[in-house]
Amino acid sequence: MSAQPVNPNLPPDHVTVFIDGVELAAPKGSMIIQVADKAGIPIPRFCYHDKLAIAANCRMCLVDTEVGGRAAPKPSPACATPVMDGMKVFTRNEKALKSQRNVLEFLLINHPLDCPVCDQGGECELQDLSLGYGRSVSRFVERKRVVPDEDIGPLVATEMTRCIQCTRCVRFTGEIAGTYELGGMYRGENLQIGTYDGKPLTTELSGNVIDVCPVGALTNKVFQFRARPWELIAKESLGYHDALGSNLFLHSRRGEVLRAVPRENELVNECWLSDRDRYSHQGLNAADRATVPLVKQGGEWKEATWAEALSAAAAILRENKGDDLGVLVHPATSNEEGGLLAALAAGLGTANIDHRIANRDFSDAAVAEPFALPVAEIEQADVVVVVGSNIRHELPLLHARLRKAQTKRGARIHVVNPVDFDFTFAAAGKHIVPPSRIAEVLGGAELRGALQGATRPVVIVGAIAENHPQAAAIRAAARDFAAATGAALCRIPQGANAVGLARAGVLPAARDVAGMFAEPRRAYVLYGIEPGLDFADTASGLKALNAAKVVAFSHFACESTRAVADVILPIGLLPEIEATLTNLNGVEQSAHAAGRLPGQAREGWRVLRALGGELGLAGFEFTDLAGARAMLEGGRQVQVRAGSAGAAGEGALELALVPAIYRTDAVVRRAAALQAHPLNVAPRIVLNPADAAGIESGAVVKVKGAHGTATLPAVVDARVAAGAAWIEGGHGATAPLGAGRVEVVKA
């Protein structure tokens, strides 16, 4: 006769377990530590992490168990022992505590105990457990072992003598990042964790090994020796370098942002953070940060008071209002600032306002829209089609979810791209074609047939497609493909707050970005833009701006801004202001000021309010951010006018323009550690061998485009589609080329 369940009222897939006398219901197959965590019963651990595979190699979580009245002969690891019906678990009896204390004593045999000089001091799991389970005096007097360090790059500092071989970092790089760059070498007491080749970590998620490390073996190299945890003030903030809107904490001391750490949100970034969001705070303190209002007088820049600068800006806008004015806004601008810019434009009588500064094809009047399937649910998809995106660099944490969908749930991922990018998932199908043929592939029977029988298909359209001169045709093909296959269409918004700015009405009822450059206006407002690098068509943009009066609300007084502007009004970046952004799920999220504003810089909403007041515009009478939000309640509905189609230009090769991972915006471009990262490749052009025509890797070539010429080193690589040439954007050297067709000749 089979044993009867302890509690017959439970579902058949649940069992009853008693932990320290507390009766709990748990799903069959659950590990003791998972059940205890859910019930809030503490069990010490080092190697266990709920996002990583179970290793059971630290043994810190040993507990005493009893099943059917019979005690287990020896302690069991709570992380690797499944619960059984009627099981009794003792986490604090003499047997369990003795085992835990003995394990900790052995772990500390070789630990250097250098807490006073360790960056992990004050937030170290080993410190915490040593206090609870350790002896005050070590019984071991033998010599401690020393492990040589290796340099694993500009982001993560190593002190591997502190390592306790929990292998969390190894499992992270293998399971989550998918790069398998760390591992255990040698045996027994000589075991040490490191890279296999002695090279820097290349994963775009490398900073997460700092978070998972329970000791001070892996620490933040940028933050190294800067402060102690108890000196820091934590403020909730957001990643603002891609549309995911990763949740994070900014840690500051005396108003200086010193580091960023992930803030757990399962619906967005889980407990991870991309390196771009973790280390970009370095750019806040760049040498060319705009710190005082500047006014150009007689061709020379002069420092001015805020009253003088606002007066000069207002004079330009009064003289050039209506259709003579264009307003250009960076797509990472907050909802509040965007709404006030839309109100400012309306008050000045202009419908020439746009934030789609990376777009090239406006013929379908497309705007950013939320994903049809929330990002957390994409990992439940059974078939995913990635269209026109180096998604690993564009949205690193969405790429990690796609890897999880494949490795844990068997999802089939198909790729339609001009380059066979290095993804950490294995593609079920690859269609490597020039960008102009992407629409053709989406309309073909082969790819549509691959989705037959799919129950949760997803199509993800990225920056290469969205910013191509024939983007409208690709978007139309993606919509048709999604409709024909039942797939959820997820177009990646081109900017951290592109969805929010579209809702706030930062869109043209008259001229779009391309129209404002094709038919130059007499004056422009630039908001948060670095004009030499942020526009899709740099040459046309600079030509139009140089011939006009320009009021620049700017975070940086860079050379390109100084060259085109007449007034520079210094404003705060997201880590320095209270603001909201809307992520690719369409969810509005809040960020709180963590760093102090540099010099005389002010929050953007304050400057806009002051300028609106100077101009005497209605609606700018509010005095605080709450008043601004109340004034903007409901957003601004705009009927976007279809603009011009992108021009392909002339030339033998089609440019596949891909945003460089660490050149996406002005802040990231100024983060020194990210610029030193191996993924930050110098400007170059990559050609298919069939198109190289005698050009060898390393040769310097001239690339002639419709708007300019660039001189670049060439790389010959078969991963690029024949008929296409791959360059990365965000570099001054590649900015003149746009994204049309080019001619490549030897320099």
Side-chain angles (χ1 to χ4, degrees):
M1 179 180 290
S2 61
Q4 295 298 309
V6 172
N7 186 348
N9 296 321
L10 287 180
D13 60 343
H14 279 60
V15 296
T16 300
V17 60
F18 301 87
I19 303 182
D20 292 341
V22 179
E23 181 178 341
L24 301 167
K28 286 181 180 177
S30 299
M31 300 301 160
I32 292 172
I33 201 168
Q34 294 168 339
V35 180
D37 284 353
K38 204 167 183 179
I41 300 171
I43 296 178
R45 83 287 303 270
F46 290 117
C47 70
Y48 176 77
H49 190 287
D50 62 359
K51 294 290 184 182
L52 304 175
I54 292 169
N57 57 6
C58 77
R59 305 320 251 196
M60 191 65 216
C61 64
L62 290 176
V63 294
D64 189 18
T65 59
E66 182 182 303
V67 180
R70 297 180 61 185
K74 57 184 181 180
S76 307
C79 68
T81 304
V83 293
M84 299 171 64
D85 198 38
M87 174 185 277
K88 294 182 179 180
V89 179
F90 305 95
T91 70
R92 304 286 297 170
N93 68 5
E94 184 181 355
K95 186 176 179 181
L97 288 173
K98 183 179 179 182
S99 301
Q100 293 160 1
R101 287 171 179 150
N102 288 342
V103 166
L104 188 65
E105 185 175 14
F106 275 102
L107 281 175
L108 291 174
I109 290 172
N110 277 305
H111 197 77
L113 301 178
D114 52 359
C115 303
V117 296
C118 178
D119 263 342
Q120 197 82 343
E123 52 189 7
C124 174
E125 293 175 49
L126 183 60
Q127 266 189 340
D128 294 341
L129 293 181
S130 295
L131 180 64
Y133 299 88
R135 292 173 173 268
S136 58
V137 178
S138 173
R139 293 186 290 172
F140 288 84
V141 295
E142 290 78 12
R143 211 171 150 184
K144 294 177 182 283
R145 74 170 191 159
V146 176
V147 178
D149 281 326
E150 58 177 309
D151 186 351
I152 60 173
L155 307 182
V156 181
T158 58
E159 191 72 52
M160 300 313 291
T161 301
R162 300 171 185 157
C163 178
I164 60 170
Q165 291 91 42
C166 72
T167 71
R168 281 185 183 178
C169 60
V170 176
R171 284 173 284 150
F172 173 83
T173 57
E175 297 165 20
I176 309 299
T179 53
Y180 298 95
E181 295 178 87
L182 293 172
M185 295 171 285
Y186 309 113
R187 288 178 159 193
E189 67 173 350
N190 296 318
L191 175 67
Q192 56 186 262
I193 303 298
T195 64
Y196 296 108
D197 53 11
K199 294 180 180 178
L201 298 180
T202 60
T203 172
E204 65 286 355
L205 305 176
S206 65
N208 292 288
V209 300
I210 299 165
D211 301 326
V212 300
C213 182
V215 295
L218 301 172
T219 55
N220 187 324
K221 188 174 278 191
V222 173
F223 176 69
Q224 198 171 26
F225 309 136
R226 298 292 304 279
R228 286 299 196 182
W230 53 85
E231 299 177 285
L232 302 175
I233 296 173
K235 291 294 181 73
E236 294 182 355
S237 193
L238 303 168
Y240 58 107
H241 308 297
D242 58 45
L244 184 64
S246 294
N247 288 207
L248 53 87
F249 288 106
L250 291 174
H251 289 172
S252 61
R253 184 185 61 178
R254 303 189 196 104
E256 181 183 4
V257 177
L258 295 179
R259 68 174 177 181
V261 297
R263 177 162 52 98
E264 189 166 351
N265 186 332
E266 288 296 320
L267 300 179
V268 182
N269 56 304
E270 301 180 87
C271 60
W272 312 122
L273 204 56
S274 70
D275 289 343
R276 186 165 56 197
D277 287 332
R278 186 184 297 267
Y279 293 99
S280 65
H281 65 84
Q282 270 195 309
L284 300 177
N285 302 314
D288 62 350
R289 187 73 199 271
T291 58
V292 294
L294 298 171
V295 176
K296 190 178 283 183
Q297 296 176 350
E300 297 292 326
W301 283 105
K302 306 290 184 184
E303 292 188 5
T305 65
W306 269 107
E308 293 168 342
L310 289 169
S311 177
I316 291 172
L317 298 182
R318 280 195 199 98
E319 294 168 9
N320 301 280
K321 58 185 178 181
D323 197 44
D324 288 335
L325 178 65
V327 181
L328 299 165
V329 183
H330 194 280
T333 302
S334 71
N335 290 324
E336 294 82 2
E337 294 164 294
L340 290 173
L341 284 161
L344 181 74
L348 291 168
T350 181
N352 306 319
I353 178 172
D354 209 348
H355 70 275
R356 301 169 297 170
I357 59 175
N359 288 24
R360 291 176 173 81
D361 187 353
F362 299 89
S363 59
D364 59 348
V367 300
E369 54 194 35
F371 273 18
L373 190 68
V375 70
E377 295 180 26
I378 289 177
E379 65 185 59
Q380 308 294 333
D382 54 353
V383 181
V384 180
V385 180
V386 177
V387 179
S389 175
N390 183 2
I391 199 163
R392 182 174 169 188
H393 290 186
E394 190 172 354
L395 282 177
L397 293 175
L398 178 54
H399 171 265
R401 285 192 187 265
L402 293 184
R403 173 177 167 78
K404 188 195 294 188
Q406 183 187 72
T407 57
K408 294 196 173 180
R409 298 178 179 87
R412 305 191 309 276
I413 304 177
H414 296 262
V415 176
V416 186
N417 261 333
V419 180
D420 187 5
F421 296 112
D422 290 326
F423 298 139
T424 62
F425 52 76
K430 293 181 182 178
H431 301 266
I432 308 302
V433 297
S436 63
R437 289 193 54 214
I438 289 176
E440 175 190 330
V441 173
L442 290 173
E446 182 184 351
L447 187 56
R448 296 191 179 200
L451 271 69
Q452 284 187 350
T455 57
R456 291 179 68 95
V458 177
V459 179
I460 300 172
V461 182
I464 301 170
E466 289 284 342
N467 299 330
H468 192 263
Q470 284 83 48
I474 299 173
R475 284 190 285 263
R479 283 193 296 272
D480 291 344
F481 181 87
T485 59
L489 178 59
C490 300
R491 292 173 45 228
I492 298 176
Q494 297 306 297
N497 196 36
V499 173
L501 293 176
R503 289 178 177 174
V506 186
L507 291 168
R511 292 172 181 81
D512 51 43
V513 177
M516 286 184 245
F517 293 160
E519 302 173 31
R521 303 295 88 200
R522 289 175 56 189
Y524 294 89
V525 171
L526 297 184
Y527 200 91
I529 292 173
E530 187 170 10
L533 292 172
D534 285 341
F535 291 123
D537 187 346
T538 305
S540 297
L542 293 179
K543 182 180 178 182
L545 293 171
N546 276 313
K549 291 289 186 180
V550 176
V551 176
F553 292 75
S554 189
H555 309 116
F556 300 96
C558 61
E559 286 185 18
S560 64
T561 301
R562 286 172 177 265
V564 303
D566 295 278
V567 179
I568 296 177
L569 305 175
I571 55 174
L573 283 155
L574 188 73
E576 301 158 346
I577 64 174
E578 303 285 328
T580 60
L581 303 180
T582 306
N583 70 4
L584 48 68
N585 287 335
V587 176
E588 190 176 283
Q589 303 184 111
S590 296
H592 300 281
R596 66 172 175 267
L597 291 158
Q600 297 179 42
R602 296 292 181 265
E603 299 96 329
W605 69 266
R606 288 188 188 276
V607 182
L608 287 164
R609 180 195 62 80
L611 183 57
E614 184 81 16
L615 290 164
L617 302 181
F620 285 80
E621 297 83 11
F622 56 88
T623 57
D624 56 18
L625 187 57
R629 288 170 173 162
M631 189 269 280
L632 299 170
E633 194 71 37
R636 173 172 168 261
Q637 299 301 313
V638 177
Q639 185 65 41
V640 184
R641 193 180 80 173
S644 60
E650 297 179 357
L653 298 176
E654 221 181 299
L655 269 186
L657 180 64
V658 183
I661 183 170
Y662 297 135
R663 305 286 300 177
T664 51
D665 59 55
V667 183
V668 172
R669 290 191 283 264
R670 288 164 173 78
L674 293 177
Q675 297 310 302
H677 194 278
L679 290 178
N680 193 56
V681 181
R684 58 181 185 163
I685 185 166
V686 188
L687 308 171
N688 184 281
D691 301 314
I695 297 170
E696 298 180 353
S697 289
V700 177
V701 297
K702 282 191 176 179
V703 187
K704 299 178 182 178
H707 302 292
T709 301
T711 302
L712 301 168
V715 175
V716 180
D717 193 332
R719 293 184 301 154
V720 182
W726 168 25
I727 64 171
E728 290 191 329
H731 293 282
T734 59
L737 295 176
R741 301 187 74 88
V742 295
E743 183 101 20
V744 180
V745 296
K746 288 184 178 179

